[in-house]
Amino acid sequence: MAVFSCSTEKVEKEEAVSLRSDEPTEDQLLQIGIQKLGKWVDYWESKGANFNVSNFDLNQEHLYEVIEWPEENVISDDNPLKGHQIPNPNSKGVVDIYQYKILIDEAKQVDFNPDAEVIYFKNNGMRERLLFIGPSGVFEDAVWISESHLLVSGHIQKEEGFVPVVWLILPEEHRYSVYENSFSTLDYSPESYLKEKLSNLKFLR
């Protein structure tokens, strides 16, 4: 009986290790997500950036406090931002990175809020803030890598210039990692990518 018990425990441990080894590493998730953000990658590479994963350095890791309240998706079907929301692949809700940043008046003219946030309208009727950034940065694009991994891309402004950044978020675990690219440039307009991506909008400036 003792021999059988030890053998069973060994098999269970080996199976657990095998299952863990099948899960993608954070670097692999990063690579998959960057490959899905072709438009954003092409835009920054035209400025001279190299988006090989080896050129991104882990800058911060955060466990964040959940900030949420009851609210359904506020973007109606006739809102020009509707098509730019990012549905979760397993129908768990929809992510919005532009609604806070983009200000649209009654004449459909568009201007910018200096701040930005990433909001998750979940299918349980709750609205959760995943990220917030002030005037020193902009969230430019986003993609679901899997139903539990969201990659948000953008930039931050530092003394040496504008630096491409990606935020790898695990909403169900309430944590995210921040990766900065080694590239920086002073020759960049903060809202230039948004104007190209959101080409269906009428920007005031």
Side-chain angles (χ1 to χ4, degrees), residues 2 4 52 54 57 72 82 99 103 119 121 123 138-139 149 156 165 185-186 201:
F4 178 77
N52 187 294
S54 62
D57 293 321
E72 300 289 344
K82 181 69 173 181
Q99 184 244 336
L103 305 173
I119 289 296
F121 293 104
N123 63 358
V138 175
F139 302 126
H149 298 86
I156 57 173
V165 179
T185 179
L186 294 170
L201 306 184

Side-chain angles (χ1 to χ4, degrees), residues 5 12 24 38 57-58 61 69 71-72 84 149 167 187 199:
S5 176
E12 288 176 349
D57 293 321
L58 179 61
E61 292 182 289
W69 57 94
E71 186 176 337
E72 300 289 344
H84 298 290
H149 298 86
W167 292 261
D187 183 22
S199 58

Side-chain angles (χ1 to χ4, degrees), residues 64-69 119 126-130 174:
Y64 62 87
E65 181 182 355
V66 178
I67 302 175
E68 64 177 11
W69 57 94
I119 289 296
M126 300 298 288
R127 166 189 175 130
E128 180 181 349
R129 172 184 278 179
L130 300 181
H174 312 303

Side-chain angles (χ1 to χ4, degrees), residues 155-196:
H155 70 265
I156 57 173
Q157 187 174 6
K158 306 177 80 171
E159 288 185 5
E160 62 268 28
F162 296 91
V163 179
V165 179
V166 292
W167 292 261
L168 180 61
I169 310 172
L170 284 76
E172 294 174 7
E173 298 181 19
H174 312 303
R175 66 182 177 92
Y176 65 86
S177 302
V178 186
Y179 290 84
E180 292 186 12
N181 193 270
S182 57
F183 174 79
S184 65
T185 179
L186 294 170
D187 183 22
Y188 194 77
S189 174
E191 288 88 22
S192 59
Y193 178 79
L194 297 185
K195 291 178 180 178
E196 181 164 315

Side-chain angles (χ1 to χ4, degrees), residues 29 32-33 36-37 85-90 92-96 119-122 130 142-152 168-172:
L29 289 168
I32 293 168
K36 289 175 176 281
L37 290 169
Q85 293 189 316
I86 307 109
N88 180 276
N90 202 28
K92 294 183 177 180
V94 64
V95 163
D96 189 299
I119 289 296
Y120 190 11
F121 293 104
K122 297 188 285 188
L130 300 181
V143 66
W144 285 99
I145 304 170
S146 71
E147 65 180 80
S148 55
H149 298 86
L150 176 73
L151 191 71
V152 176
L168 180 61
I169 310 172
L170 284 76
E172 294 174 7

